[in-house]
Amino acid sequence: MLGLLMVTVALIVAACGGPSPAPPTTSESAAYEGTEVGGAAPDFQLVDQRGEPVRLSDFGGKVVVLSFLDSNCHDICPLTAQHLKNTVQELQPGAAENVALLAVNVNTSASAVSDVAAATNHWNM
């Protein structure tokens, strides 16, 4: 079963390739050549909604979808969580097992494990 892991530290996890550099719009921006993102993301450890440590390497071989949510949010965050869950459920049979949904709690005022667990339960994740 896929669960949405809420974590309390904001980190950017991974990208499967980089954006193409945008063409410069002025002569001053001509030096900017874009930002290449590629390769494996560095491993890190965070705490999930059960208070257990979670490492990026725990999801080796899976596509990691990272979202930033507020554990005390009552409008867009529950909708975002539901959309993520629905998207994974719509994948072809067997594909969902290769996807891990991770959400980073961005609310520093509600960052206790109990806050994150309450949001996870409330959002049925």
Side-chain angles (χ1 to χ4, degrees):
M1 176 174 112
L2 288 176
L4 180 63
L5 298 176
M6 299 290 295
V7 293
T8 59
V9 178
L11 292 175
I12 296 176
V13 176
C16 295
S20 299
T25 56
T26 68
S27 61
E28 287 182 22
S29 65
Y32 180 73
E33 296 180 15
T35 302
E36 184 176 333
V37 179
D43 200 17
F44 60 85
Q45 180 174 308
L46 303 169
V47 177
D48 71 9
Q49 72 272 22
R50 293 175 300 275
E52 299 293 325
V54 176
R55 300 185 67 85
L56 178 60
S57 58
D58 294 341
F59 304 100
K62 293 187 177 192
V63 173
V64 176
V65 179
L66 181 68
S67 181
F68 296 89
L69 301 174
D70 177 343
S71 62
N72 201 28
C73 171
H74 300 288
D75 47 33
I76 192 68
C77 299
L79 293 174
T80 300
Q82 189 62 48
H83 284 298
L84 290 169
K85 183 178 174 182
N86 290 347
T87 299
V88 171
Q89 290 173 341
E90 291 295 321
L91 293 173
Q92 293 192 4
E97 292 79 33
N98 295 317
V99 177
L101 300 177
L102 299 177
V104 176
N105 179 26
V106 297
N107 186 334
T108 58
S109 298
S111 61
V113 170
S114 59
D115 297 321
V116 175
T120 303
N121 289 333
H122 181 73
W123 300 340
N124 296 314
M125 300 302 289

